[in-house]
Amino acid sequence: MKLTDKRFWIFEAFSVLSTALTVGLMELVDRFRLDSDVLPICIIMLTTYLIGHAVAWKSNRSCAWLKLGLTTYLFSAVALAVIFAIIFGIDWLAPTEVSDDVSADEYVGFSALDLTLVIILIWGIISFIPTMVTAFVASLCFRAKTTVATGMKLRSISLESIGVDGIAYTKSEALRIAEKYYNSNIPILGGDVYLFNNGNIKPTFDNWYCNRNNSETSYEYVARSYQVACDYIKKYPDNANIFFSIVKGHIDE
């Protein structure tokens, strides 16, 4: 996970949406209304979601919303448990003393700390829906940015979602791009193969490369690298879900 990855910060921003949805659901149920306690509870919720989103993003960068939502909920629950333990520790270290004037049959209400714990426990139940909704919306957002299409036919995909600054192309489009580089006297250093299925991009770890020989002229290297790229792409088994990235070089004059 890189701090320069815009998608990470976008996903972190979705923590605000998760918090708003959770508070909204709790407000819909009269028994769970937050009233004046909404600010500290919102801070706790937002902190929990921020931690959950960050860890989930690092462990799962695919656009599969179900997996993304479940991992976010899981890690948010772990963060919740840590916060719960801290609050419980504070309560244990600083117990509230009850006055001797209170009779045995007199009801002693919940303290602010007790109410906070109850609300956090309620969050653990209610937050499942906002977490899954947020993951679904984020997945749609990322998929929309992943696909670069012309008309109704998918021709290329952005690799940004898996931390790669580049674009992968279908077989026919990759051959067209390779020819464009050849006509522009640009050598092709190599390329990688990716599988794009149900909005998820996965590297196949298949690749090719073409290094320049010492005895080659610039034109010879451009021509040979173009031929190597075309041969590899053409011979690769046909699959509509296979995409090729191409790494271009430059000629030192």
Side-chain angles (χ1 to χ4, degrees):
M1 178 180 63
K2 299 180 180 179
L3 294 179
T4 55
D5 190 343
K6 293 184 294 184
R7 289 175 176 255
F8 166 70
W9 295 110
I10 292 174
F11 191 57
E12 280 291 88
F14 273 105
S15 300
V16 179
L17 176 60
S18 297
T19 302
L21 290 174
T22 304
V23 173
L25 285 176
M26 296 179 75
E27 287 290 331
L28 287 176
V29 183
D30 290 337
R31 187 175 298 179
F32 298 155
R33 293 185 68 87
L34 299 176
D35 298 327
S36 60
D37 297 325
V38 65
L39 182 58
I41 296 303
C42 283
I43 294 176
I44 293 175
M45 289 181 183
L46 181 59
T47 302
T48 302
Y49 280 126
L50 285 171
I51 296 173
H53 279 228
V55 181
W57 175 263
K58 185 174 182 179
S59 62
N60 174 31
R61 291 185 179 180
S62 70
C63 292
W65 71 271
L66 182 60
K67 184 178 180 181
L68 188 62
L70 290 175
T71 52
T72 300
Y73 179 77
L74 173 63
F75 292 121
S76 295
V78 173
L80 171 68
V82 173
I83 294 176
F84 186 96
I86 293 174
I87 295 177
F88 182 81
I90 294 174
D91 190 37
W92 182 76
L93 292 174
T96 302
E97 296 183 0
V98 180
S99 174
D100 295 335
D101 296 334
V102 178
S103 61
D105 59 347
E106 184 175 347
Y107 172 74
V108 178
F110 286 110
S111 66
L113 188 59
D114 294 332
L115 289 175
T116 301
L117 291 177
V118 170
I119 293 175
I120 291 177
L121 288 175
I122 294 171
W123 172 92
I125 300 173
I126 295 181
S127 65
F128 181 78
I129 296 177
T131 300
M132 301 306 293
V133 171
T134 301
F136 181 73
V137 175
S139 177
L140 290 179
C141 177
F142 294 155
R143 288 185 186 182
K145 291 186 176 182
T146 297
T147 303
V148 181
T150 300
M152 297 299 294
K153 184 179 180 181
L154 182 65
R155 298 170 59 184
S156 61
I157 56 174
S158 170
L159 302 175
E160 185 181 0
S161 63
I162 58 174
V164 177
D165 184 16
I167 297 176
Y169 308 92
T170 59
K171 176 177 284 191
S172 60
E173 186 67 8
L175 291 172
R176 189 187 71 81
I177 295 296
E179 183 178 6
K180 178 181 177 181
Y181 288 156
Y182 171 70
N183 293 332
S184 300
N185 199 35
I186 298 175
I188 298 174
L189 303 182
D192 298 285
V193 185
Y194 296 88
L195 177 65
F196 181 66
N197 191 23
N198 294 327
N200 299 320
I201 305 173
K202 295 181 180 179
T204 64
F205 301 104
D206 295 331
N207 59 78
W208 81 93
Y209 63 91
C210 182
N211 296 326
R212 183 177 181 177
N213 298 326
N214 294 331
S215 59
E216 281 184 319
T217 64
S218 298
Y219 174 77
E220 289 173 340
Y221 178 47
V222 170
R224 184 171 66 87
S225 66
Y226 167 68
Q227 190 61 49
V228 170
C230 288
D231 289 344
Y232 185 89
I233 295 172
K234 289 178 179 178
K235 292 179 181 179
Y236 202 89
D238 291 333
N239 187 330
N241 295 326
I242 289 296
F243 288 74
F244 303 86
S245 68
I246 298 178
V247 181
K248 66 178 181 178
H250 66 278
I251 296 296
D252 295 327
E253 299 296 342

